Amino acid sequence: TEANPLALNMYVLGYTATNKLTLVNSLVKQNLARYLGETRVLTDAINVKDAYIINIGVKYSILVSRNFNKSEVLLRATKAIQDHFRIEKWQINQPIVTTDVANIISDVEGVAGVVPPKTDNPFNLPVVIENKWNTAKGYNEVLYDFTDPTVVKNGVIYPAKDPSIFEIKFPNVDIEGKIVGDVY
């Protein structure tokens, strides 16, 4: 069916069996539109559309306090990031606040400090967010330029103008931590 240009747009996504985001099929969208059509105000029309999925990776660097096992601290920091980016906690068009991510890392026991990564960090952010878009590796084919100053403002990374959501699709691979030193 053709979208009504005067209607309200509702953007939807679904989950796979492994809790990854996916586009919903046209039958689901038709059923949703039919159900909403029965319960809507007479003058409202609704278009049910797909949102975009922007697959991302996170890179971070830390200093570790002495007397802590560096590998364990790095693992706990990565787990904290994984928890922060669990897709159930995210909404369409929610921005990424890089200082929030850095604070989550710094709250991990044994982390003495978060150091902005030196490579691929044009805005000198406390963490680097990168686009993962290679369909051959299982990502969605949505290119997104994290070096664009209209996307990154004051350490906040905004999603596309078209309704979209950020997703770490493979958290065990897409989060890369590095220990750059230790302190007393």
Side-chain angles (χ1 to χ4, degrees):
T1 63
E2 194 170 314
N4 179 343
L6 302 176
L8 298 172
N9 292 326
M10 177 179 173
Y11 294 91
V12 296
L13 291 167
Y15 290 112
T16 66
T18 58
N19 220 27
K20 304 297 178 204
L21 290 176
T22 187
L23 302 179
V24 296
N25 65 42
S26 59
L27 183 60
V28 170
K29 288 187 276 192
Q30 288 171 4
N31 286 340
L32 186 56
R34 186 176 306 119
Y35 170 76
L36 292 172
E38 293 171 2
T39 60
R40 68 179 167 84
V41 176
L42 187 61
T43 57
D44 287 341
I46 299 171
N47 297 322
V48 180
K49 298 180 170 188
D50 293 320
Y52 292 92
I53 304 165
I54 302 170
N55 293 135
I56 60 169
V58 177
K59 291 185 179 180
Y60 68 97
S61 300
I62 58 173
L63 297 170
V64 176
S65 299
R66 288 219 190 243
N67 300 325
F68 281 89
N69 180 305
K70 291 179 182 177
S71 297
E72 288 179 7
V73 172
L74 191 65
L75 180 61
R76 284 196 304 268
T78 297
K79 293 285 186 199
I81 296 169
Q82 288 175 346
D83 183 61
H84 176 71
F85 282 101
R86 276 194 7 247
I87 200 60
E88 306 84 35
K89 296 181 172 185
W90 284 79
Q91 297 179 19
I92 292 172
N93 279 356
Q94 180 177 346
I96 298 171
V97 181
T98 58
T99 54
D100 287 352
V101 179
N103 287 336
I104 287 164
I105 297 167
S106 67
D107 286 345
V108 170
E109 186 179 14
V111 173
V114 177
V115 179
K118 293 190 185 315
T119 57
D120 300 322
N121 194 1
F123 301 107
N124 198 34
L125 299 174
V127 296
V128 171
I129 307 296
E130 61 183 2
N131 188 207
K132 303 282 191 172
W133 56 269
N134 188 336
T135 56
K137 294 183 178 180
Y139 299 104
N140 294 304
E141 192 175 26
V142 177
L143 291 173
Y144 203 64
D145 185 2
F146 288 98
T147 63
D148 183 341
T150 63
V151 168
V152 181
K153 296 177 188 169
N154 299 319
V156 178
I157 300 171
Y158 293 93
K161 289 180 183 175
D162 295 319
S164 56
I165 188 168
F166 295 113
E167 175 191 45
I168 296 180
K169 189 155 192 174
F170 305 112
N172 294 331
V173 176
D174 295 337
I175 302 171
E176 298 176 40
K178 182 178 179 181
I179 298 170
V180 294
D182 54 6
V183 296
Y184 287 100

